[in-house]
Amino acid sequence: MENDDIVWSIINKSFCSYKVNTKTQRFCRNEYNLTGLCNRSSCPLANSQYATVREEDGNCFLYMKTVERSGFPRNMWEKVKLSKSLEKALRQINEYLVYWPGFLKQKCKQRLLKISQYLIRMRKLRLRRQKKLVPIQRKQDRRERRREEKALVAARLDSAIEKELLERLKRGTYGDIYNFPQVAFNKALEEEEEEEVEPEEYGEDDENEEEEGELDEELEKELEEESENEEIEYVEADSDLEAELEGESDVEDIQVNKAQSTDSIKENIRRKPRLEIEYETETSKSLKHKV
Amino acid sequence: MSKVVARPLITVYNEKAEASGTSIQLPAIFRAPIRPDIVSFVQQQMSMNRRHPYCVSEKAGHQTSAESWGTGRAVARIPRVRGGGTHRSGQGAYGNMCRGGRMFAPTKIWRRWHRKINVNQKRFALCSAVAASGIPSLVMSKGHLINDVPEMPLVVSDKVQEYKKTKQAVVLLRRLRAWTDVQKVYKTRRFRAGKGKMRNRRRTSKLGPLVIYGRDQGLTKAFRNIPGVSMISVNKLNLMKLAPGGHVGRFCIWTESAFQRLNALYGTWRLKSKLKSNYNLPQPIMTGTDLSRLLKSDEIQKVIRRPRKMIRRASVKRNPLTNMRALMKLNPYSAVIKKSAAAVAEARKKSKTALLEKKREASATKKVAA
């Protein structure tokens, strides 16, 4: 008892390792503190007669500290298990803290009430499904996203798929779908030559829209030659391209596909210069906008 | 002055942290007044005493024969280096603002580095620190983890002084439940913030228990490798170890012989100290410090007056000459006066109007007659 005031004057004015200062209030981090605040009446260090209610695994315990045991830290706190029913527990508190100061009695009961309320809430929550909140570290997230993008690029899916399909063809998993009678094949080739003209016309129409047509015409010629060459080479390559597209297809479809594929190849070849030109037109358009 | 102070018996614990038969009465020093202000002051002064002097070279900035060029040269008047043929010629010199000049107020070696502290003050601080180390609340508030320690102050048998192996020391600390405090030291090992890192003060950590022995028969060597643990002899108690940082309440582990020696070293109030010439423990200013108990005691309650529980609040003054209510408060008859005055005024008015009417009638009849 003598000590209390001295202890409090030291703790209050100078240093206490459990004291936490905020702008509005002082908190006490001591686990035996009844209210959680740093006060003369709620400091477990500055009161030699003190009581708290604490919860462990759903059981509430009443802890009591008296002057007689103040010199023996190991045995300082007397622990009493309170009953699970709130009524009985309150009566128990009344019984154990009969002649104790009103503040401690009142706060113990209030604390017990709060604890029992949150225990009920915990039990209810556990019955329901709970969302688990997982915090994402921003740095890691950024890193992973970038790495995903890089991995996507590095994987080169298109070429991988191409290889896979080719291998499958070679292995013969698709059977002998692409072995057609020679006559039909030749006919198909002839039809292809005719169709080559049409896509060229298409190509011209597109190119007329563009300003620099001459270059394109030259390119066209080159492409024609290339395509003719490609035709010859196509005997082998065609099948690969067909394999890229759909597996089951009629001869007509194949022809269409061939045409498409030729178109696509031409477009692919044309796309490179086209891209450049489009870029210029875009800028010219943007210039117009600026004007 | 005889002091009636409770001095309980402290049990001595053996190496297995069981209560050995012996118990010692608490030395009087543990009931000395605890003055954190004195401790803080003395600790601060003491810490100045281990400083190394530092200063700038005397000659720094003056090893030139610079002279000011004066006015008329379209340059600032700061002294400039003479001669030519080098970058340095014509540069400013001597001033604290100049590059290569002397600093403002060059630090001198004859600065007062050390402080003299009165012997009595030092002893007072030490007594306070030892007293505080016996109060578990203060030791806990300092940050030591002593929740499971069997007793405070903690006294161990003299066998501990003969320990040679760190293993034994660790086992002892474990048994005494002081190991959590040492673990705290392990956990708080970190690098210092700031330039101290490159000045040979790289690592910091919290402090652990302090072992105070009577005779070193190997104890220091056993405990010295455990981080956070310090060892001092009773005869050379050090305030810097007992109240590190100027805050009282370090966790101390005493050996039996050390504990016994305290009474001889510092005295009890009844007897002077035997080993310090003409010294006795500091007298407290108040013998009974429980303020609430004092105020409730009969002696004081008899003399003080009754508490005044009524709160008188300041009221606004109203001017009676303008405010009717304020006037009535002062002079209740004023209401009557006012009423009667009003009545009189009414009566006068009436009579006047009556007169006027009469006159008008008279004139009217006259006119009629004529």
Side-chain angles (χ1 to χ4, degrees), chain A residues 37-51:
Chain A
L37 308 169
C38 186
N39 280 328
R40 175 68 182 90
S41 39
S42 13
C43 184
L45 300 175
N47 288 303
S48 41
Q49 203 183 26
Y50 200 76

mmCIF file of all heavy atoms in Angstrom, chain A residues 37-51:
data_model
loop_
_atom_site.group_PDB
_atom_site.id
_atom_site.type_symbol
_atom_site.label_atom_id
_atom_site.label_comp_id
_atom_site.label_asym_id
_atom_site.label_seq_id
_atom_site.Cartn_x
_atom_site.Cartn_y
_atom_site.Cartn_z
ATOM 1 N N LEU A 37 -6.750 1.203 -20.305
ATOM 2 C CA LEU A 37 -6.266 2.576 -20.273
ATOM 3 C C LEU A 37 -5.205 2.710 -19.183
ATOM 4 O O LEU A 37 -5.165 1.927 -18.232
ATOM 5 C CB LEU A 37 -7.412 3.535 -19.968
ATOM 6 C CG LEU A 37 -8.631 3.392 -20.849
ATOM 7 C CD1 LEU A 37 -9.771 4.203 -20.290
ATOM 8 C CD2 LEU A 37 -8.324 3.836 -22.262
ATOM 9 N N CYS A 38 -4.369 3.725 -19.343
ATOM 10 C CA CYS A 38 -3.336 3.970 -18.330
ATOM 11 C C CYS A 38 -3.862 5.010 -17.348
ATOM 12 O O CYS A 38 -3.860 6.207 -17.642
ATOM 13 C CB CYS A 38 -2.053 4.441 -19.011
ATOM 14 S SG CYS A 38 -0.681 4.610 -17.866
ATOM 15 N N ASN A 39 -4.360 4.537 -16.229
ATOM 16 C CA ASN A 39 -4.944 5.393 -15.198
ATOM 17 C C ASN A 39 -4.405 5.036 -13.851
ATOM 18 O O ASN A 39 -3.896 3.932 -13.654
ATOM 19 C CB ASN A 39 -6.466 5.165 -15.130
ATOM 20 C CG ASN A 39 -7.191 5.895 -16.206
ATOM 21 O OD1 ASN A 39 -6.770 6.952 -16.624
ATOM 22 N ND2 ASN A 39 -8.275 5.314 -16.665
ATOM 23 N N ARG A 40 -4.622 5.931 -12.898
ATOM 24 C CA ARG A 40 -4.208 5.618 -11.532
ATOM 25 C C ARG A 40 -4.971 4.406 -11.023
ATOM 26 O O ARG A 40 -4.433 3.559 -10.336
ATOM 27 C CB ARG A 40 -4.469 6.830 -10.632
ATOM 28 C CG ARG A 40 -4.192 6.607 -9.162
ATOM 29 C CD ARG A 40 -2.720 6.429 -8.921
ATOM 30 N NE ARG A 40 -2.423 6.175 -7.524
ATOM 31 C CZ ARG A 40 -2.378 4.955 -6.988
ATOM 32 N NH1 ARG A 40 -2.649 3.890 -7.726
ATOM 33 N NH2 ARG A 40 -2.080 4.802 -5.722
ATOM 34 N N SER A 41 -6.242 4.311 -11.360
ATOM 35 C CA SER A 41 -7.059 3.231 -10.806
ATOM 36 C C SER A 41 -7.011 1.950 -11.621
ATOM 37 O O SER A 41 -7.317 0.887 -11.111
ATOM 38 C CB SER A 41 -8.513 3.689 -10.660
ATOM 39 O OG SER A 41 -8.864 4.478 -11.769
ATOM 40 N N SER A 42 -6.592 2.050 -12.900
ATOM 41 C CA SER A 42 -6.566 0.811 -13.682
ATOM 42 C C SER A 42 -5.175 0.269 -13.931
ATOM 43 O O SER A 42 -5.013 -0.664 -14.684
ATOM 44 C CB SER A 42 -7.275 0.976 -15.040
ATOM 45 O OG SER A 42 -7.520 2.290 -15.333
ATOM 46 N N CYS A 43 -4.163 0.833 -13.268
ATOM 47 C CA CYS A 43 -2.811 0.324 -13.498
ATOM 48 C C CYS A 43 -2.579 -0.900 -12.623
ATOM 49 O O CYS A 43 -2.610 -0.792 -11.395
ATOM 50 C CB CYS A 43 -1.784 1.401 -13.193
ATOM 51 S SG CYS A 43 -0.114 0.896 -13.553
ATOM 52 N N PRO A 44 -2.325 -2.077 -13.204
ATOM 53 C CA PRO A 44 -2.098 -3.263 -12.372
ATOM 54 C C PRO A 44 -0.776 -3.195 -11.611
ATOM 55 O O PRO A 44 -0.596 -3.893 -10.630
ATOM 56 C CB PRO A 44 -2.106 -4.423 -13.366
ATOM 57 C CG PRO A 44 -1.964 -3.819 -14.695
ATOM 58 C CD PRO A 44 -2.315 -2.393 -14.634
ATOM 59 N N LEU A 45 0.130 -2.315 -12.050
ATOM 60 C CA LEU A 45 1.408 -2.212 -11.359
ATOM 61 C C LEU A 45 1.323 -1.277 -10.160
ATOM 62 O O LEU A 45 2.016 -1.459 -9.163
ATOM 63 C CB LEU A 45 2.481 -1.691 -12.327
ATOM 64 C CG LEU A 45 2.741 -2.545 -13.559
ATOM 65 C CD1 LEU A 45 3.727 -1.852 -14.462
ATOM 66 C CD2 LEU A 45 3.274 -3.901 -13.177
ATOM 67 N N ALA A 46 0.455 -0.261 -10.271
ATOM 68 C CA ALA A 46 0.383 0.734 -9.210
ATOM 69 C C ALA A 46 -0.703 0.444 -8.188
ATOM 70 O O ALA A 46 -0.950 1.260 -7.319
ATOM 71 C CB ALA A 46 0.161 2.111 -9.823
ATOM 72 N N ASN A 47 -1.397 -0.677 -8.348
ATOM 73 C CA ASN A 47 -2.414 -1.051 -7.369
ATOM 74 C C ASN A 47 -2.077 -2.410 -6.817
ATOM 75 O O ASN A 47 -2.077 -3.404 -7.543
ATOM 76 C CB ASN A 47 -3.801 -1.108 -8.022
ATOM 77 C CG ASN A 47 -4.326 0.253 -8.348
ATOM 78 O OD1 ASN A 47 -4.450 1.101 -7.490
ATOM 79 N ND2 ASN A 47 -4.621 0.465 -9.614
ATOM 80 N N SER A 48 -1.788 -2.468 -5.513
ATOM 81 C CA SER A 48 -1.414 -3.765 -4.966
ATOM 82 C C SER A 48 -2.632 -4.649 -4.754
ATOM 83 O O SER A 48 -2.501 -5.866 -4.661
ATOM 84 C CB SER A 48 -0.632 -3.601 -3.670
ATOM 85 O OG SER A 48 -1.204 -2.577 -2.903
ATOM 86 N N GLN A 49 -3.824 -4.075 -4.685
ATOM 87 C CA GLN A 49 -5.037 -4.878 -4.669
ATOM 88 C C GLN A 49 -5.762 -4.665 -5.992
ATOM 89 O O GLN A 49 -6.251 -3.563 -6.264
ATOM 90 C CB GLN A 49 -5.937 -4.469 -3.500
ATOM 91 C CG GLN A 49 -6.868 -5.574 -3.103
ATOM 92 C CD GLN A 49 -7.816 -5.180 -2.008
ATOM 93 O OE1 GLN A 49 -8.143 -4.021 -1.836
ATOM 94 N NE2 GLN A 49 -8.275 -6.168 -1.262
ATOM 95 N N TYR A 50 -5.798 -5.690 -6.798
ATOM 96 C CA TYR A 50 -6.305 -5.536 -8.156
ATOM 97 C C TYR A 50 -6.972 -6.821 -8.602
ATOM 98 O O TYR A 50 -6.655 -7.903 -8.119
ATOM 99 C CB TYR A 50 -5.137 -5.205 -9.090
ATOM 100 C CG TYR A 50 -5.525 -4.576 -10.394
ATOM 101 C CD1 TYR A 50 -5.902 -3.243 -10.464
ATOM 102 C CD2 TYR A 50 -5.497 -5.298 -11.567
ATOM 103 C CE1 TYR A 50 -6.233 -2.656 -11.668
ATOM 104 C CE2 TYR A 50 -5.827 -4.718 -12.778
ATOM 105 C CZ TYR A 50 -6.193 -3.399 -12.824
ATOM 106 O OH TYR A 50 -6.515 -2.812 -14.016
ATOM 107 N N ALA A 51 -7.931 -6.690 -9.513
ATOM 108 C CA ALA A 51 -8.602 -7.867 -10.066
ATOM 109 C C ALA A 51 -8.875 -7.651 -11.545
ATOM 110 O O ALA A 51 -9.121 -6.529 -11.984
ATOM 111 C CB ALA A 51 -9.922 -8.112 -9.336
#
